[in-house]
Amino acid sequence: MRRKIHKTPERLASVRIDAVAAEGKCIVRTDEGVIFVENPTGGPGVAPGDVVDLRITNTKKQYREAVAERVHEWSSVRTEPFCEHFGTCGGCKWQHIQYSEQLGFKHQQVVDHLTRIGKVELPEFRPIMPAHPTQYYRNKLEFTCAEGRWLTTKEVGTNQPMDQRAVGFHVPGRFDKVLPIRHCYLQPDPSNAIREAIDAYVLQHDMTLYNLKMHTGFLRTLIIRTADTTQQVMVTLQVAQDNPELLNGLMAYLQTLFPQITSLNYILNTKKNDSYQDQEVVNWAGKAYIEEQMEDGGDRPLTFRIGPKSFYQTNAQQAYNLYKVAREFAGLTGQEHVYDLYTGTGTIALFVARLAKHVVGVEYVEASVADARVNAQVNGITNTTFVAGDMKAILTDEFFAEHGRPDVVITDPPRAGMDEAVTRQLLKAAPERIVYVSCNTATQARDLAILDEGYIVTGVQPVDMFPHTHHVENVVVLTKR
């Protein structure tokens, strides 16, 4: 029988962190190659300029992975995190880095991806567009209600019995552990108050929360949506058991305590996961939607109806700035036939419609297309057509013949970017301009390399949508060669 060999983890002392890398990790460059440094759960995080001791956790052919075990020298780019949950809940991972420095890192990420992956001719980049505000900017949060509370190091040290119920966020890497949140800086009032009220009601009425391992319990999730311009509030509860008495008591409690809730809903989900796009939403009180408004360059603001399942940019104020950039890059004069690919609920399509001759929105999710059509009707916009279907299958010569070839294409794909077949179809359609809105500049750069066959990049505008995270949006305009 062979004896197991236990390797001692490799450690590196007093190493300076060089920069940030993809997915919010930090990077150290050594003679032996690159080391990617994780921010460990519960720690203070690492920042470029820190001098730290590293413990190697994984060795690959091209790189190594490590965690910081001790900090000898703090970086000058650091600042004091404002949230007591920083380092544990897994959100807002860059709170310890000054916002101006965050913007610099994000801008550089866009530059690196487009130059190193895309390898195409590029113009001078516009400076990254900062977000304002940098706290309480989200219009949607989903809290998990679970029996499986995460205990902090301090709580473990007390050796006191703790109630296992928690309303909060999953701890990174633990599907079964939820950190109870006392105050979250992501969503404006009354988000925190609603969550605290749910927490208090659960304890007062000894309500069971969902056990993510055993799949037992009543209350699963709390979803709160707020509208910045109209101040409307939507609350949707997801429950795992058909218990009208329990449900009605909780819903009536929320309705009485928070008269500002304009849409109160619930979902009975008996599946073993919390995804609810395939589940029925029951409107318990108020309207089945909330409304957000956005200027569109016309005589009156656009109004978007947002249902419990609707997609809407989670930072509405910065989405407005993002759409203005896309509209500017589109260069519309009122004569253009525009295609809006991955149109979702039609926000960009409707935003540019009054400056175009006609807009065709294409989207895979049929429910989103239905929302887009409703939003067009609500706003009295008649020069739009919304089509549901698989993008790579639907964009054929026959489709172009039926709906007209585009003069301008606006595309806002998911993080995976555009399917190569879609990119090739755009080359065949040969619009004068393509405006590419991206939430993942690595896949955007990959797609730009293909489009380079027929187009040149003539404008690049990075936009910060999510302060205190590594995520960055980017808008590129391509002009036909």
Side-chain angles (χ1 to χ4, degrees):
M1 183 176 180
R2 291 185 177 179
R3 181 182 298 174
K4 287 184 179 180
I5 300 174
H6 298 281
K7 292 184 178 179
T8 303
E10 183 184 355
R11 284 177 164 80
L12 301 176
S14 298
V15 175
R16 188 174 296 276
I17 302 294
D18 291 318
V20 293
E23 303 302 320
K25 297 176 183 178
C26 281
I27 191 171
V28 173
R29 298 181 181 91
T30 72
D31 293 339
E32 291 77 34
V34 169
I35 302 174
F36 291 104
V37 184
E38 287 273 12
N39 284 322
T41 300
V46 289
D50 283 348
V51 177
V52 300
D53 290 345
L54 295 179
R55 175 171 55 85
I56 303 298
T57 58
N58 202 358
T59 299
K60 303 281 189 180
K61 267 190 175 182
Q62 304 295 329
Y63 61 90
R64 289 177 290 173
E65 296 174 337
V67 294
E69 293 193 316
R70 180 185 176 190
V71 180
H72 294 281
E73 182 182 327
W74 298 108
S75 168
S76 61
V77 307
R78 280 183 171 272
T79 189
E80 188 68 27
F82 49 82
C83 179
E84 65 177 293
H85 304 298
F86 171 73
T88 304
C89 91
C92 308
K93 289 184 177 179
W94 280 7
Q95 274 188 37
H96 64 304
I97 298 176
Q98 297 169 29
Y99 185 59
S100 60
E101 298 293 335
Q102 294 180 32
L103 292 174
F105 296 145
K106 293 184 184 191
H107 185 95
Q108 190 59 47
Q109 178 180 310
V110 177
V111 172
D112 290 345
H113 282 165
L114 266 57
T115 53
R116 296 176 184 175
I117 299 174
K119 298 178 181 177
V120 298
E121 184 181 348
L122 295 166
E124 183 178 351
F125 288 27
R126 294 183 179 183
I128 187 170
M129 185 180 292
H132 182 78
T134 60
Q135 296 178 5
Y136 305 114
Y137 60 83
R138 288 184 66 97
N139 55 38
K140 179 186 176 185
L141 279 183
E142 182 169 338
F143 298 99
T144 299
C145 309
E147 182 184 325
R149 172 180 175 152
W150 175 266
L151 299 179
T152 64
T153 304
K154 184 178 179 181
E155 288 172 334
V156 170
T158 63
N159 292 319
Q160 296 295 319
M162 293 280 181
D163 192 312
Q164 287 299 301
R165 290 171 292 189
V167 179
F169 297 129
H170 284 278
V171 173
R174 293 298 302 266
F175 82 94
D176 59 333
K177 291 297 181 182
V178 174
L179 176 71
I181 300 297
R182 280 190 280 266
H183 186 92
C184 182
Y185 289 84
L186 282 172
Q187 191 175 28
D189 293 335
S191 178
N192 278 300
I194 292 172
R195 189 199 62 258
E196 289 170 355
I198 292 281
D199 202 27
Y201 188 92
V202 164
L203 295 176
Q204 183 180 352
H205 294 80
D206 201 25
M207 180 178 285
T208 59
L209 303 188
Y210 196 66
N211 187 304
L212 295 155
K213 284 185 174 180
M214 304 302 295
H215 303 291
T216 57
F218 177 69
L219 187 59
R220 295 185 77 146
T221 63
L222 162 66
I223 305 139
I224 304 173
R225 303 188 84 146
T226 52
D228 179 65
T229 53
T230 64
Q231 303 301 304
Q232 295 172 15
V233 178
M234 172 184 287
V235 172
T236 305
L237 296 177
Q238 195 171 185
V239 298
Q241 298 170 355
D242 188 8
N243 189 324
E245 184 179 352
L246 266 182
L247 177 67
N248 290 331
L250 178 54
M251 300 295 262
Y253 166 77
L254 287 174
Q255 187 181 39
T256 301
L257 202 58
F258 299 99
Q260 63 267 56
I261 295 176
T262 56
S263 177
L264 187 55
N265 315 280
Y266 73 88
I267 300 166
L268 174 61
N269 180 2
T270 58
K271 299 186 305 177
K272 291 185 177 180
N273 64 70
D274 289 337
S275 63
Y276 55 86
Q277 288 298 321
D278 59 343
Q279 302 292 296
E280 180 188 4
V281 179
V282 179
N283 180 231
W284 194 87
K287 294 182 178 180
Y289 57 85
I290 58 175
E291 293 175 316
E292 185 71 271
Q293 293 184 333
M294 186 181 290
E295 177 272 331
D296 71 330
D299 298 329
R300 59 191 174 91
L302 284 170
T303 297
F304 293 102
R305 288 186 179 180
I306 304 165
K309 296 182 184 179
S310 298
F311 171 79
Y312 194 77
Q313 285 282 3
T314 50
N315 185 341
Q317 293 186 41
Q318 195 68 336
Y320 172 45
N321 292 323
L322 182 79
Y323 295 165
K324 284 195 293 185
V325 172
R327 184 174 64 190
E328 175 200 345
F329 279 177
L332 303 178
T333 66
Q335 302 303 310
E336 290 82 8
H337 201 66
V338 179
Y339 276 36
D340 179 30
L341 306 185
Y342 311 92
T343 191
T345 54
T347 46
I348 293 180
L350 297 172
F351 190 78
V352 304
R354 288 178 177 146
L355 296 178
K357 185 175 182 179
H358 194 85
V359 181
V360 178
V362 186
E363 167 60 44
Y364 177 76
V365 181
E366 290 189 10
S368 294
V369 169
D371 285 343
R373 291 170 180 156
V374 168
N375 284 323
Q377 185 177 11
V378 166
N379 290 281
I381 296 175
T382 58
N383 64 330
T384 55
T385 302
F386 292 100
V387 182
D390 184 352
M391 206 77 58
K392 63 180 179 292
I394 208 171
L395 292 180
T396 61
D397 290 338
E398 292 75 19
F399 186 88
F400 293 138
E402 179 183 354
H403 296 280
R405 287 195 173 268
D407 302 303
V408 175
V409 168
I410 302 173
T411 180
D412 185 7
R415 289 189 61 78
M418 293 192 292
D419 191 284
E420 185 173 348
V422 176
T423 315
R424 295 290 175 190
Q425 278 298 92
L426 291 186
L427 287 169
K428 285 180 64 178
E432 289 300 316
R433 287 178 301 285
I434 299 172
V435 180
Y436 192 145
V437 182
S438 173
C439 60
N440 183 349
T441 49
T443 54
Q444 183 186 47
R446 177 203 66 201
D447 296 342
L448 293 182
I450 298 173
L451 292 170
D452 189 59
E453 294 176 19
Y455 290 84
I456 183 170
V457 177
T458 53
V460 181
Q461 174 65 74
V463 180
D464 183 25
M465 293 282 285
F466 304 107
H468 313 301
T469 77
H470 65 274
H471 298 290
V472 61
E473 300 264 337
N474 190 48
V475 190
V476 167
V477 58
L478 303 103
T479 305
K480 190 162 66 172
R481 290 185 183 276

